[in-house]
Amino acid sequence: MEPKVTFFLGANTPSGFYSLYDQMLPPQEARRIYLLKGGAGCGKSSLMKRVAAALEEAGESVEYIRCSGDPDSLDAVIFPRLKAAIVDATAPHVMEPRLPGVVESYVDLGRFYDHRALAKQREEVAAATDGYKSHYKRAYRCLTAAAQLAEDNRALLLSPSLEAKTLKRARGILSREVKKTGNQPGQAIQRFLGAISCQGLSCRFDTVDALCRKVYELSDAYGLGAGMLTALAAGAMSAGYDVILCPSPLFPDRAEHLLIPALSLAFVTSTPALPYPGKPYRRVRIDAMADSEVLHKYKTRLKFSRKVQTALLDEGVESLAQAKAEHDVLETLYNPHVDFEGVYRQADQIAQEILELR
């Protein structure tokens, strides 16, 4: 089976949920977006899976957007060729129409609830909802502490000399790999390739393999390669290529991976916690560009800091797992009282409407 193109449009970060949902489709190009509304267990993910399967069977490409809290669940599906999408438009990634009726349509899945049956479970639903939110708050506190330690290590090693080395390497790669097209400058879209979720730290390296044959692996344990990735992205866009810039979930203002699908070229950050599992075309050792004397002098401090950082991330993941457990309780309470046949009929109708865009 061919790998599926899968990203995240949101991330659990030290500052809370970070959204890239405004970059789902270019506003000026979007033709049809379905905004799903409804609470837990009403069938949002099930509807998207059914529509995506129907579109794939019809030969359309599909981009899957996974939930950063629970990667087994879908938050959106995008049909790039048709410029259409379906998205869970509820908190924490609330979306409202820009051109209602022209592009976006509301889909109320709450109408498939059996409200009379659910009213009898009011207290259980309220308790699970409150517990779910409290676990997220603790997770974000743990991520904040982990990020502060990671930033301390990065500040210790980042220097003008290292930045100069990474920029020189970026210019060399651009001269070899990126030939000018003569076209207008390319555009950048952002997608999270990785997530911090109830399942731990993850990265969709399978998406890299689906989109790009030539992969540069950046060995970077301390987050020192963001400037190099930004320079590579700028060079590729200047040459006329669109790029997918993938921020770090821990530091969403910094690039962590870069994909240039038109060139089948990717640059992925490989860390001790998330090593790139494939065989790269070339490996760039970012860590080796750091000052060896500084690395030796602070070896113990760096090692201790990374150990504590890992423990804090583990604690954050455990809190996210507890939040997922509470959400599973909500799903269990709601699912028996949802008309899923109605949800599936709605899915089939949406699939037909999207196919009519061809």
Side-chain angles (χ1 to χ4, degrees):
M1 181 183 292
E2 288 294 317
K4 295 183 184 296
V5 176
T6 304
F7 291 105
F8 301 88
L9 278 174
N12 296 306
T13 76
S15 58
F17 183 79
Y18 190 96
S19 175
L20 295 175
Y21 279 80
D22 60 338
Q23 299 195 35
M24 184 171 61
L25 281 171
Q28 68 276 14
E29 297 179 11
R31 298 174 68 195
R32 188 71 57 81
I33 299 177
Y34 295 87
L35 304 177
L36 304 185
K37 299 291 185 178
C42 69
K44 297 186 290 292
S45 187
S46 296
L47 180 148
M48 287 186 274
K49 289 177 182 176
R50 188 176 179 97
V51 176
L55 269 288
E56 279 194 345
E57 187 175 344
E60 291 296 331
S61 59
V62 181
E63 180 181 332
Y64 292 84
I65 303 299
R66 293 285 171 183
C67 172
S68 58
D70 174 16
D72 288 335
S73 182
L74 284 174
D75 271 352
V77 285
I78 304 171
F79 310 102
R81 195 182 75 85
L82 300 177
K83 300 294 189 288
I86 310 169
V87 58
D88 177 349
T90 61
H93 34 77
V94 175
M95 291 184 67
E96 298 298 341
R98 295 179 179 178
L99 296 173
V102 178
V103 174
E104 299 94 349
S105 301
Y106 285 119
V107 180
D108 175 21
L109 295 184
R111 72 183 189 276
F112 296 112
Y113 282 141
D114 181 342
H115 293 274
R116 183 173 297 178
L118 285 170
K120 299 175 183 178
Q121 301 182 108
R122 178 173 183 145
E123 291 185 5
E124 294 94 331
V125 169
T129 300
D130 290 342
Y132 171 71
K133 293 178 180 178
S134 67
H135 291 308
Y136 264 96
K137 290 179 181 178
R138 182 173 186 275
Y140 293 145
R141 289 195 294 269
C142 291
L143 296 186
T144 297
Q148 288 172 343
L149 285 172
E151 181 61 18
D152 184 59
N153 282 355
R154 180 175 184 266
L156 197 64
L157 298 174
L158 194 63
S159 66
S161 173
L162 184 143
E163 290 181 315
K165 291 177 184 177
T166 57
L167 290 177
K168 181 180 179 181
R169 191 66 184 271
R171 286 192 293 269
I173 293 171
L174 288 168
S175 68
R176 287 194 308 272
E177 305 287 1
V178 182
K179 307 303 179 185
K180 292 187 179 297
T181 63
N183 298 331
Q184 292 294 317
Q187 302 294 316
I189 62 169
Q190 291 193 80
R191 297 283 193 267
F192 286 105
L193 194 62
I196 304 170
S197 74
C198 63
Q199 298 177 6
L201 276 65
S202 64
C203 188
R204 299 303 306 230
F205 288 121
D206 55 333
T207 293
V208 178
D209 297 334
L211 293 175
C212 304
R213 294 186 304 274
K214 185 180 288 188
V215 179
Y216 279 74
E217 178 186 0
L218 310 185
S219 297
D220 182 10
Y222 300 102
L224 304 172
M228 181 177 177
L229 289 167
T230 302
L232 289 165
M237 287 189 289
S238 177
Y241 298 98
D242 292 339
V243 305
I244 303 173
L245 203 55
C246 304
S248 160
L250 205 57
F251 299 99
D253 59 333
R254 294 179 195 158
E256 190 168 53
H257 313 282
L258 171 67
L259 311 182
I260 313 173
L263 293 174
S264 198
L265 179 63
F267 302 88
V268 300
T269 296
S270 183
T271 69
L274 279 174
Y276 175 60
K279 184 177 181 181
Y281 169 70
R282 286 188 179 174
R283 182 175 288 111
V284 181
R285 297 182 60 212
I286 303 291
D287 294 341
M289 298 182 192
D291 188 315
S292 58
E293 290 186 6
V294 175
L295 280 169
H296 179 73
K297 180 178 179 181
Y298 294 104
K299 179 180 178 180
T300 302
R301 172 177 161 181
L302 290 166
K303 183 178 179 180
F304 174 77
S305 184
R306 282 174 55 185
K307 183 178 180 180
V308 176
Q309 179 188 342
T310 299
L312 286 165
L313 286 172
D314 288 344
E315 282 296 307
V317 167
E318 176 60 27
S319 291
L320 292 172
Q322 291 170 350
K324 168 66 165 54
E326 293 284 4
H327 192 267
D328 286 347
V329 172
L330 280 174
E331 297 270 352
T332 301
L333 292 169
Y334 275 100
N335 277 169
H337 309 298
V338 175
D339 174 14
F340 278 99
E341 289 303 315
V343 172
Y344 295 143
R345 286 194 299 272
Q346 177 73 78
D348 294 341
Q349 178 184 332
I350 291 173
Q352 184 59 41
E353 289 175 2
I354 293 176
L355 286 170
E356 288 172 359
L357 297 173
R358 297 200 288 190

